[in-house]
Amino acid sequence: MNTDPIKDNHNTQQLKLFLNKNKMIMRDLYEEQHFDYTYRRKDNLNNTSIKSWIDHVICMEEEFNKVKHTRIVIDQSNLSDHNCIKFDYEYEITSVERIKRKEPVKNVTLNWTNQQVKLKYYNRVKCELESIQERLSNTDNIKSKNELKVELSAIINQLSNTFINAASMVKNELNKLRQKKRKPIGGMKFKRWWDNTLQQLHNEVIESYIKYRNSNFDQLEKRTYTDKKRIFRLQKRYNIQLLKNKQLKKINELFKLDKQQFWKKIKAAQRNNSKNELNLQTIKEHYTKLFNEKNDTVLDIESNSGLDDFNRKYQHHEFDYKLETNDISDIISSLPSGKSIGLHGVSNEMIKCAASPTLVNILKNLFEKTINSQMVPYLFNISIIKPLIKDEKKPVDDTGNLRPVAISDSLANLFESVLLKEVKK
C-alpha cells in the first residue's frame, strides 16, 4: 500500500480494510522498537531527512504468538533506503512423512542404438576412469576391513556418478544441438515431425491444387485436391503425436525392426494394469517381517552351522582369488538391455557402452578386493522393492497377493553374475 499506518489517508484506510477482511495483523507494531522508521530519504530543499514506517511484518491473527522478536535493524552495510525487519517464526512439524517425501529422480536415458551417441558417451567416461583406477590402487595400503568397505563403497559411488554424469552431459549436448536446429528469426522453420512421407504427401497436395486451379476449379479435381489435403493432415497429426509420445515412437520403431517383439509389447500394454491399494506403511511392515523372521528348518540349521564354521576358520584370513578379464568382458557384453534401473540410476546400457580395457580392469580389481577381503560394499546391499500383484482376480489389498521384486543396482547384478560364473567352474 506504500503508506505509514500512523498517517490517516486513503492508502492507510485501504490497508486497514484489507487486514480486517483477511484477519491479518501487523505484528511489528506490537513489539518495542529502537527505531520507528523503515524508510528514509534526504530532503535537499530543507536539508532534513524524511522518515516513515511503511514496511511491516504481516501475519494471520491466529499466528500472532508464532511470530516473535520483530525488530527494525539499521546496518551500515545496507546501502538501500529501506531498513530490514528481522523476526523469528516458530514452525511446528506436523508430519515427518511429508518432509521426507521427495520428488522422484528421473533416470538419464539416451538412444543407445545411435553410434554417435555411444561414442560421445564412451569418450566422456573414458576421461574419468584413470582417476578411479588410481584411487582403487591406493586401497592396497588399507588393512582395516571397515575402512576398506567404506573406501570401496565410495569408489563404486564415484564410478556410478561417472556413468550418470557422462550420460547427462551427452544428453545436454544433444539438446543444445537440437536447439540450434530451430528456426532462426526470419528463417525457415525446422519441424522435427517432417519426414520423407510427409514431404511426398505435401508434393501431391501441391500437384493436385495446380491441376484443380488449371481446370478452372472443376468439382472433380476439387474432390481429388480435398482428399489429398485430408491425407496430408492426418499424417501430419500422426507424426506430431508420435513425436510427443515417446513410448509410441519406440513401438513404431520396433514394428519396423522386430515384428515379434512388437506384438509382445502390444499384448503387454493391453493387459489390465491393476493398482495396489494397500497403505505404504502396511507393505513396509509386511516385508520387514517377511525378510527378517526366520523359519528354522533342519536344512537351515545345518547351513547356518556350516557358515559359522567357515567364518570362525577364515575370519582373519586374506584370500588371493583372481578373476579372468575375459570372463568379466563377456558378462558385460551379455548384459540385457531395457531392464529396470536400481537406486543409483545406472543402467546396463551405461556399463555396456562404456566397456573398455580400463573399465574391465577397474571392475576386476574391485570384485577381487571384495571377494578376498570377505566383505560386501554398502551399496551392494541396497535394492528397490516393488510389489507386483500376483493374481488380478484376487483382492488387490491383500498382502498375500503381492510378489516382492527386488531391483538391485546394475554393478551389484554384475558382481553376482561374476560370482555365479566362478561357482559354476
Side-chain angles (χ1 to χ4, degrees), residues 336-361:
S337 301
K339 292 294 182 180
S340 297
I341 299 176
L343 185 66
H344 303 102
V346 177
S347 63
N348 288 345
E349 290 86 349
M350 291 182 182
I351 301 175
K352 286 199 295 184
C353 295
S356 64
T358 308
L359 177 62
V360 172
N361 191 45

Side-chain angles (χ1 to χ4, degrees), residues 260-407:
Q260 189 176 0
Q261 289 295 326
F262 167 78
W263 286 113
K264 283 184 179 180
K265 288 281 185 183
I266 294 297
K267 289 178 181 178
Q270 289 175 343
R271 291 174 189 159
N272 183 19
N273 296 323
S274 300
K275 292 184 179 180
N276 181 12
E277 296 179 0
L278 277 172
N279 187 2
L280 184 62
Q281 187 62 29
T282 306
I283 299 174
K284 182 180 178 181
E285 291 173 358
H286 172 69
Y287 287 136
T288 302
K289 181 180 178 181
L290 185 67
F291 285 106
N292 287 282
E293 288 188 0
K294 294 182 179 180
N295 296 323
D296 291 331
T297 61
V298 177
L299 184 62
D300 290 333
I301 294 171
E302 292 178 356
S303 300
N304 291 335
S305 176
L307 288 172
D308 292 338
D309 293 339
F310 180 86
N311 289 332
R312 280 194 297 270
K313 185 176 180 180
Y314 297 103
Q315 184 176 4
H316 302 289
H317 185 77
E318 186 73 23
F319 291 100
D320 189 24
Y321 194 84
K322 298 294 181 182
L323 297 173
E324 293 292 333
T325 306
N326 293 334
D327 291 341
I328 298 176
S329 299
D330 293 341
I331 293 172
I332 291 175
S333 61
S334 61
L335 286 173
S337 301
K339 292 294 182 180
S340 297
I341 299 176
L343 185 66
H344 303 102
V346 177
S347 63
N348 288 345
E349 290 86 349
M350 291 182 182
I351 301 175
K352 286 199 295 184
C353 295
S356 64
T358 308
L359 177 62
V360 172
N361 191 45
I362 289 173
L363 294 174
K364 175 179 178 293
N365 294 335
L366 183 66
F367 295 160
E368 285 177 353
K369 289 182 183 295
T370 301
I371 294 171
N372 295 331
S373 61
Q374 305 177 60
M375 131 327 270
V376 180
Y378 295 106
L379 304 177
F380 283 5
N381 293 326
I382 302 174
S383 297
I384 300 173
I385 296 180
K386 288 194 175 183
L388 301 181
I389 297 172
K390 295 180 183 177
D391 190 352
E392 294 173 355
K393 296 179 181 178
K394 294 181 180 180
V396 292
D397 56 352
D398 180 17
T399 54
N401 194 27
L402 298 179
R403 179 186 294 109
V405 176
I407 303 173

Side-chain angles (χ1 to χ4, degrees), residues 199 201-211 225 228:
Q199 181 64 49
L201 292 173
H202 184 258
N203 294 337
E204 292 177 3
V205 170
I206 294 173
E207 291 175 2
S208 61
Y209 175 73
I210 293 172
K211 289 181 180 178
Y225 166 65
K228 295 286 185 183

Side-chain angles (χ1 to χ4, degrees), residues 76-138:
Q76 297 296 329
S77 61
N78 184 6
L79 302 179
S80 171
D81 50 7
H82 288 262
N83 296 325
C84 71
I85 304 179
K86 191 176 181 180
F87 65 93
D88 296 332
Y89 181 75
E90 291 184 358
Y91 180 73
E92 183 181 354
I93 299 175
T94 56
S95 175
V96 178
E97 224 177 273
R98 186 176 179 182
I99 293 174
K100 286 184 177 179
R101 194 181 297 125
K102 296 181 180 179
E103 290 293 327
V105 179
K106 292 184 178 180
N107 296 316
V108 183
T109 55
L110 292 172
N111 182 11
W112 299 108
T113 59
N114 190 313
Q115 294 299 324
Q116 291 183 348
V117 172
K118 290 167 66 175
L119 183 61
K120 287 178 182 291
Y121 171 77
Y122 175 84
N123 291 332
R124 289 193 179 277
V125 173
K126 190 177 180 181
C127 296
E128 303 294 331
L129 291 180
E130 292 183 4
S131 61
I132 298 175
Q133 191 172 24
E134 184 180 354
R135 184 177 181 179
L136 186 60
S137 61
N138 294 334

Side-chain angles (χ1 to χ4, degrees), residues 36-240:
D36 61 350
Y37 63 94
T38 60
Y39 173 76
R40 180 180 63 178
R41 67 179 177 86
K42 190 174 182 181
D43 188 358
N44 295 324
L45 293 176
N46 300 321
N47 198 21
T48 57
S49 294
I50 300 175
K51 300 177 182 178
S52 60
W53 194 344
I54 62 174
D55 303 291
H56 299 275
V57 176
I58 297 176
C59 67
M60 305 300 292
E61 289 179 356
E62 62 266 20
E63 293 188 334
F64 180 87
N65 294 325
K66 292 184 179 180
V67 181
K68 299 178 179 180
H69 308 129
T70 58
R71 51 203 175 275
I72 301 171
V73 180
I74 294 180
D75 192 347
Q76 297 296 329
S77 61
N78 184 6
L79 302 179
S80 171
D81 50 7
H82 288 262
N83 296 325
C84 71
I85 304 179
K86 191 176 181 180
F87 65 93
D88 296 332
Y89 181 75
E90 291 184 358
Y91 180 73
E92 183 181 354
I93 299 175
T94 56
S95 175
V96 178
E97 224 177 273
R98 186 176 179 182
I99 293 174
K100 286 184 177 179
R101 194 181 297 125
K102 296 181 180 179
E103 290 293 327
V105 179
K106 292 184 178 180
N107 296 316
V108 183
T109 55
L110 292 172
N111 182 11
W112 299 108
T113 59
N114 190 313
Q115 294 299 324
Q116 291 183 348
V117 172
K118 290 167 66 175
L119 183 61
K120 287 178 182 291
Y121 171 77
Y122 175 84
N123 291 332
R124 289 193 179 277
V125 173
K126 190 177 180 181
C127 296
E128 303 294 331
L129 291 180
E130 292 183 4
S131 61
I132 298 175
Q133 191 172 24
E134 184 180 354
R135 184 177 181 179
L136 186 60
S137 61
N138 294 334
T139 58
D140 295 337
N141 302 324
I142 300 176
K143 302 301 180 183
S144 172
K145 283 189 176 182
N146 289 332
E147 292 181 8
L148 182 62
K149 187 174 183 177
V150 171
E151 184 61 19
L152 290 183
S153 298
I155 291 172
I156 293 170
N157 195 22
Q158 183 181 353
L159 185 60
S160 299
N161 288 336
T162 300
F163 293 144
I164 296 169
N165 292 337
S168 299
M169 292 172 72
V170 172
K171 190 169 186 177
N172 293 335
E173 185 180 345
L174 295 174
N175 288 337
K176 287 180 181 178
L177 288 173
R178 197 174 290 118
Q179 291 288 337
K180 287 181 180 179
K181 288 183 177 180
R182 290 189 175 180
K183 166 194 161 182
I185 297 175
M188 191 172 179
K189 188 174 181 181
F190 176 79
K191 304 178 182 67
R192 291 172 59 198
W193 42 265
W194 192 281
D195 56 7
N196 294 331
T197 305
L198 205 59
Q199 181 64 49
Q200 185 178 355
L201 292 173
H202 184 258
N203 294 337
E204 292 177 3
V205 170
I206 294 173
E207 291 175 2
S208 61
Y209 175 73
I210 293 172
K211 289 181 180 178
Y212 169 57
R213 187 184 60 186
N214 294 337
S215 67
N216 198 16
F217 303 103
D218 182 65
Q219 291 299 317
L220 185 61
E221 293 294 340
K222 180 182 179 181
R223 190 180 305 166
T224 306
Y225 166 65
T226 306
D227 291 341
K228 295 286 185 183
K229 191 164 60 173
R230 179 178 54 81
I231 295 171
F232 169 78
R233 286 177 176 174
L234 286 173
Q235 185 65 34
K236 176 184 173 182
R237 292 189 191 113
Y238 172 75
N239 285 7
I240 293 173

